[in-house]
Amino acid sequence: MPRKGSDMSVATSREMRLSLLMIGLMSAVIAPVAHASSPSLLDVLHSNNVITSDQYKVLQKYRKAGEKEGPNLYGYGQLDFPVSVSGSNTIGDSTLLRRLYVGAKGGVGNAWKYKVELGFISGKAGVSTAELSYIGFRPIAITVGYMKMPFGLDYMTSPQHLAFTERALPIALVPGKKIGVEMSSHGSRWNLAGGVFGGKYNATPTTGKASNWGESVRGTYVPFLQGRTLWEVGASYGWRKADSTDTYKASMRPEAYVVGTKLVNTGTIKSVSSFSSGDLETAVVSGPWTAQAEYIRGDVDRYGDLSNLVFDGWYAQTTYTLTGEQRRFVPSKGTFAGIKPRNTVSAGGIGAWEIALRYSCLNLNSLNVSGGRERDVAVGVNWYPEKAVRFTLDYVDVVSVEQGKHDGLSPNIVEARAQISF
């Protein structure tokens, strides 16, 4: 199908607008600090006479010795088990090594940091993360490598700290991980990150196929923070040019990966020039209680006289820790960092117990595309007997699937997970 000049002009104009927006946002942050040096906490304590000069010298030696040490190793593994799946003969189910990550992170001198994660993701070996960051312009960081495009609260929170075994349905509209360059900064109550990204780390050049690229930006802010209570708001936007195949597709399983069928699926959409996603997020934490919600909209721009497509989804969830611990939110990163049990089983306690409830919706129906509309209700129980151990039991009720290949299906899924981190 011929591509009209007006379509190309619109796409080019959009790229320029987003690029200018990102440059403006970053310039506003960089301008006041680009030429400023950022002393370490140790330097601040010494200059304010909190520690003596002798103590300062000793601690400096320990710090420099730590910088010369090898990387910090870490990792975690997740085993998933289908306890009960209605209609399993139709949608399929299986035990699953959901994730097994082993990573290393560290620094080179005072200005460079790196992070590499390798492992198995849903049974396939691969690279999870490979980043190199320059932090010499503190609080500005410039990162290159294979990483998450900054987008949304649920997506940016690590899988090991999610309230449920899986993220909510609208994750299908998130840009994902790509190779790129990102600039980020943060304060005690805010976080801002944006970058330009190419393809996946394992992509290979193919004759007659040009790769796609895109941009993404996310900002968060905590307008209220007092004691154990905070309120966070944020927004994200991502745009990607379609590759030379001019196609797009989106799909999603129910919120349990032990199920093998994607109940909503657009299939391959052709004549696509570009696609974008926008996100609005909010979260509230008050002691042992949390709530968070997001709305994500995906727009697919098509060539010629074809009308553009709109897909969207949202979720709302809440958690409560029965044993009083707080689900930690980190304002400077705009993500949740999980739960640390106060009274572990090894110390004679019962660990931490948490309950969770979520409602989510994803609509992949638009004009002539019938990908299906799915609504899920999920109830979860999490037990943290030790800081590094977690057991999860989730019940997922697929309320309905409307239109699409699996119209009318409404399976119920009970899934268990064992997780260990180190």
Side-chain angles (χ1 to χ4, degrees):
M1 179 177 293
R3 304 179 182 180
K4 295 188 176 181
S6 60
D7 294 323
M8 298 298 291
S9 298
V10 170
T12 303
S13 175
R14 180 173 298 168
E15 294 169 20
M16 292 178 64
R17 289 198 303 270
L18 183 54
S19 298
L20 291 172
L21 173 62
M22 293 176 62
I23 292 171
L25 287 171
M26 292 305 171
S27 298
V29 176
I30 294 172
V33 298
H35 302 289
S37 61
S38 298
S40 68
L41 176 60
L42 197 57
D43 296 329
V44 174
L45 293 174
H46 180 239
S47 63
N48 290 329
N49 297 318
V50 177
I51 56 177
T52 66
S53 295
D54 290 338
Q55 291 171 331
Y56 175 75
K57 292 177 182 179
V58 172
L59 291 172
Q60 279 278 52
K61 291 181 180 179
Y62 278 110
R63 186 178 71 174
K64 291 179 179 179
E67 291 171 352
K68 294 179 181 179
E69 291 178 356
N72 295 319
L73 299 179
Y74 67 94
Y76 66 96
Q78 297 172 332
L79 293 173
D80 292 356
F81 308 88
V83 178
S84 173
V85 178
S86 65
S88 59
N89 291 334
T90 301
I91 62 176
D93 68 82
S94 176
T95 55
L96 179 68
L97 176 59
R98 182 66 176 97
R99 295 180 181 90
L100 178 58
Y101 290 159
V102 177
K105 58 183 177 181
V108 179
N110 293 321
W112 298 91
K113 286 186 177 182
Y114 60 87
K115 179 180 179 182
V116 178
E117 286 182 357
L118 306 173
F120 289 88
I121 307 101
S122 297
K124 297 180 181 180
V127 177
S128 172
T129 302
E131 302 176 359
L132 176 63
S133 300
Y134 180 73
I135 57 175
F137 297 132
R138 293 181 178 90
I140 305 297
I142 301 173
T143 303
V144 296
Y146 178 64
M147 69 195 89
K148 293 179 178 179
M149 295 176 66
F151 193 95
L153 173 58
D154 204 27
Y155 178 61
M156 296 305 292
T157 296
S158 169
Q160 63 181 318
H161 300 316
L162 296 171
F164 296 87
T165 54
E166 300 297 336
R167 297 182 172 97
L169 290 174
I171 196 72
L173 303 175
V174 170
K177 289 185 177 181
K178 302 291 187 294
I179 293 176
V181 55
E182 176 189 278
M183 185 177 291
S184 62
S185 186
H186 68 271
S188 61
R189 291 195 179 195
W190 60 273
N191 173 276
L192 179 63
V196 179
F197 300 85
K200 295 184 177 180
Y201 77 91
N202 55 354
T204 56
T206 302
T207 301
K209 180 180 178 181
S211 63
N212 60 357
W213 65 276
E215 302 162 322
S216 185
V217 61
R218 178 185 183 231
T220 66
Y221 179 63
V222 176
F224 181 84
L225 176 60
Q226 183 175 347
R228 299 181 69 197
T229 301
L230 66 80
W231 170 41
E232 178 263 359
V233 293
S236 307
Y237 182 79
W239 176 91
R240 287 190 69 78
K241 181 183 182 298
D243 62 27
S244 58
T245 64
D246 298 331
T247 59
Y248 170 87
K249 60 182 177 180
S251 60
M252 190 64 186
R253 288 182 176 92
E255 294 161 342
Y257 261 62
V258 295
V259 172
T261 302
K262 297 178 178 180
L263 298 182
V264 287
N265 191 339
T266 64
T268 300
I269 302 172
K270 299 181 179 180
S271 300
V272 174
S273 60
S274 64
F275 45 91
S276 61
S277 297
D279 175 280
L280 294 175
E281 64 180 75
T282 188
V284 177
V285 179
S286 183
W289 175 78
T290 73
Q292 70 182 72
E294 288 186 80
Y295 171 79
I296 302 177
R297 167 173 163 152
D299 290 82
V300 180
D301 295 339
R302 299 193 287 182
Y303 289 115
D305 297 327
L306 294 173
S307 299
N308 297 336
L309 304 172
V310 177
F311 306 121
D312 67 351
W314 65 275
Y315 75 88
Q317 70 181 51
T318 183
T319 69
Y320 187 80
T321 310
L322 301 174
T323 45
E325 290 87 350
Q326 182 165 1
R327 177 169 281 273
R328 295 176 295 128
F329 185 84
V330 184
S332 62
K333 294 182 178 180
T335 60
F336 279 99
I339 289 177
K340 293 182 179 180
R342 294 173 180 171
N343 302 302
T344 62
V345 171
S346 60
I350 62 171
W353 287 84
E354 178 186 45
I355 56 175
L357 175 66
R358 179 171 67 197
Y359 180 90
S360 60
C361 177
L362 175 62
N363 186 8
L364 297 183
N365 296 321
S366 182
L367 299 178
N368 63 325
V369 175
S370 180
R373 177 176 181 264
E374 180 178 345
R375 292 176 293 152
D376 287 359
V377 173
V379 180
V381 178
N382 299 307
W383 178 40
Y384 306 80
E386 307 290 338
K387 178 182 177 181
V389 181
R390 170 180 171 178
F391 296 97
T392 297
L393 184 66
D394 282 356
Y395 169 75
V396 179
D397 178 13
V398 179
V399 178
S400 67
V401 177
E402 302 166 11
Q403 302 183 45
K405 182 179 178 180
H406 301 287
D407 182 37
L409 282 183
S410 56
N412 300 318
I413 304 156
V414 180
E415 174 188 20
R417 168 175 291 175
Q419 174 178 298
I420 179 69
S421 58
F422 57 89

